[in-house]
Amino acid sequence: MGLPEMDIAFVLYPNMTALDLVGPYEVLASIPGIRSHFVAETRDAVSADRGLTMVPTTTFAEMDRADVVVVPGSGHWKEALEQQPMIDWLRKVHPTTKYTTSVCTGSTLLAAAGLVDVATTHWAVRDLLASQGVEVSTDRVVESGKVITAAGVSAGIDMALRLVAMEFTDAGAKTVQLAIEYFPEPPFTQDEIGPEIAEGLKALLG
């Protein structure tokens, strides 16, 4: 029995965070039968918030369904919430999906579209997500029905690995994890980083 084929829409928009999208893409595109689509308002190149340029393969008007949607976050999350055509498309395509997912502040875009009740997000925007009427979790990955949200940036890899395990097999997810050598050993623990750096960064981001 072969693996199921799936159309995955990776959403592009100005000033998105590249790793939010590239991390899940690297995991999910490793699975045979996955068809990746990079969808945006137009086919014009999109620059991420650190300048990386990506080119859409389709537009919101052209793609009216997807098995999976992956919504990245942005270091400019307030501006992202002004991307009304994208939010409208998320609301439109959500009924067609098996899974609608987000990474980092992408959960605030799902909230703006009215698609999520319980979610996680980047630690710096938990208050914003809560103000949108969402029950905010501090977990790294949260499943709420068919909506799966990941916390900040690198957590998108965890989310995608969990999705592979859910939709395909644990062995498949383990194989991908080994292939990308995802066994994080960061140089500093959260305790070592400390509240002073966290507060300074939050002020800078806000």
Side-chain angles (χ1 to χ4, degrees), residues 56-173:
T57 58
T58 189
T59 67
F60 298 143
E62 295 167 335
M63 191 169 191
D64 60 3
R65 64 160 304 279
D67 297 302
V68 179
V69 170
V70 179
V71 183
S74 170
H76 303 266
W77 56 82
K78 294 177 183 177
E79 294 177 13
L81 287 168
E82 298 173 1
Q83 296 286 326
Q84 196 60 48
M86 173 178 58
I87 292 170
D88 291 343
W89 180 81
L90 291 172
R91 188 181 298 114
K92 176 183 176 181
V93 79
H94 177 66
T96 76
T97 69
K98 188 167 186 179
Y99 302 101
T100 299
T101 75
S102 69
V103 182
C104 195
T105 66
S107 55
T108 67
L109 299 172
L110 297 186
L115 306 181
V116 64
D117 298 315
V118 181
T120 188
T121 192
H122 190 282
W123 59 269
V125 297
R126 289 171 183 160
D127 289 346
L128 171 60
L129 185 61
S131 74
Q132 294 176 291
V134 176
E135 180 182 334
V136 179
S137 171
T138 60
D139 291 347
R140 195 158 170 84
V141 179
V142 171
E143 298 172 35
S144 179
K146 70 173 186 176
V147 177
I148 307 176
T149 56
V153 192
S154 62
I157 298 174
D158 302 63
M159 180 274 291
L161 287 168
R162 183 176 298 190
L163 183 56
V164 171
M166 291 166 54
E167 184 62 21
F168 301 100
T169 63
D170 284 353

